[in-house]
């Protein structure tokens, strides 16, 4: 099946002068889960080309089996370096969408009209959308068919207030994801700080933090398998 992965193009961490972007594990783990299952992956970002990597996600203590595999995978690196422009993507061309996190999406994808339209169209077509860590922020302006916030009444998770405090960015981010999802009427749940936690509510799959990346991708695999079985029935 065909999966679209959407990454941020934003590389400035507020007014700190530091860099941000996407979080490597949150890209690499789902990328290989989906690829190893035989699915075709298209990568896109608002500006296209090479998306910015959060340098902290490339530090030694942030490495995982998936990130180490990526560093040895020239083909995957070339794939990531040539993302498509998000504005050229069409929901009907894909069977699901996956959004890796990192702090970058809080500044660009959250207000991206193409991202909003893609998510709304994908869900309207009965296809799954998965988002991990800070990526559920891109649901902020997404609406359901009745014009209400998509997450209103939905069970979701995402990077928590405690986790934002743990990385020292509570006063840097434009909004706290947990607070915003609750404000929009979501049923927000969480595990401990940096403990894996994934929530699936119908077509919507959300993961809490970087360690939730692979479990969120596994949940998307289950959703894709169920969709394939339903279409074959």
């Amino acid at each position: 099946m065909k999966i679209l992965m959407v990454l941020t193009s934003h590389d400035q961490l507020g007014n700190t002068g530091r860099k941000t972007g996407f979080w490597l594990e949150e890209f690499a783990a789902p990328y290989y889960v989906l690829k190893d299952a035989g699915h075709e992956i298209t990568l896109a970002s608002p500006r296209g080309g090479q998306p910015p990597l959060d340098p902290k996600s490339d530090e030694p203590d942030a490495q995982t089996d998936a990130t180490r595999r990526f560093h040895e995978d020239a083909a995957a690196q070339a794939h990531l370096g040539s993302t498509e422009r998000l504005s050229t993507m069409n929901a009907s061309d894909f069977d699901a969408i996956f959004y890796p996190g990192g702090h970058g999406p809080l500044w660009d994808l959250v207000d991206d009209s193409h991202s909003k339209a893609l998510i709304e169209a994908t869900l309207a077509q009965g296809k799954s959308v998965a988002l991990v860590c800070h990526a559920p922020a891109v649901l902020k302006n997404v609406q359901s068919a009745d014009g209400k916030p998509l997450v209103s009444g939905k069970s979701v998770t995402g990077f928590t207030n405690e986790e934002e405090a743990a990385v020292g960015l509570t006063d840097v981010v434009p909004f706290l994801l947990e607070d915003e999802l609750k404000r929009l009427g979501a049923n927000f749940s969480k595990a401990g700080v940096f403990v894996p936690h994934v929530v699936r509510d119908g077509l919507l799959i959300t993961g809490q933090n970087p360690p939730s990346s692979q479990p969120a991708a596994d949940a998307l695999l289950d959703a894709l398998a169920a969709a394939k079985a339903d279409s074959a029935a």
Side-chain angles (χ1 to χ4, degrees):
M1 301 177 89
K2 296 182 177 181
I3 315 299
L4 177 64
M5 292 186 74
V6 180
L7 297 109
T8 181
S9 291
H10 184 86
D11 69 350
Q12 297 297 312
L13 188 61
N15 298 317
T16 65
R18 304 202 303 267
K19 293 291 188 180
T20 190
F22 73 93
W23 196 261
L24 183 55
E25 180 185 5
E26 296 169 27
F27 163 74
Y31 182 84
Y32 288 118
V33 166
L34 297 168
K35 184 178 176 64
D36 291 348
H39 298 303
E40 179 183 335
I41 301 172
T42 297
L43 305 178
S45 61
R47 296 178 188 169
Q50 175 72 56
L53 172 67
D54 187 319
K56 293 194 74 67
S57 73
D58 209 20
E59 293 179 351
D61 63 353
Q63 299 309 301
T64 65
D65 288 345
T67 64
R68 285 186 284 270
R69 179 178 173 184
F70 174 76
H71 281 305
E72 297 175 356
D73 188 343
Q77 293 170 33
H79 193 188
L80 179 65
S82 56
T83 67
E84 305 288 343
R85 280 191 176 271
L86 187 58
S87 59
T88 66
M89 298 295 98
N90 192 315
S92 61
D93 293 332
F94 301 98
D95 298 294
I97 305 180
F98 193 102
Y99 281 77
H103 283 87
L106 294 175
W107 280 276
D108 65 349
L109 288 171
V110 68
D111 293 318
D112 190 288
S113 61
H114 302 295
S115 174
K116 176 180 182 292
L118 265 174
I119 294 172
E120 290 175 351
T122 298
L123 295 172
Q125 292 167 22
K127 296 180 289 195
S128 293
V129 176
L131 318 94
V132 69
C133 200
H134 284 90
V138 308
L139 301 174
K140 180 179 178 182
N141 298 311
V142 177
Q143 297 178 331
S144 54
D146 60 5
K148 295 179 181 177
L150 174 71
V151 299
S152 180
K154 292 275 191 183
S155 295
V156 301
T157 188
F159 206 64
T160 67
N161 292 352
E162 292 89 348
E163 287 167 330
E164 205 67 80
V167 298
L169 294 175
T170 300
D171 296 326
V172 173
V173 293
F175 57 89
L176 291 171
L177 177 56
E178 177 181 344
D179 288 351
E180 184 63 20
L181 291 172
K182 290 177 177 177
R183 184 187 71 80
L184 292 168
N187 299 318
F188 188 93
S189 65
K190 54 188 173 181
V193 174
F194 298 115
V195 174
H197 179 56
V198 174
V199 175
R200 181 176 172 187
D201 188 332
L203 298 171
L204 193 62
I205 299 165
T206 48
Q208 180 178 322
N209 45 34
S212 305
S213 302
Q214 182 165 333
D218 288 336
L220 180 57
L221 280 187
D222 292 342
L224 289 168
K228 188 173 184 179
D230 287 345
S231 65

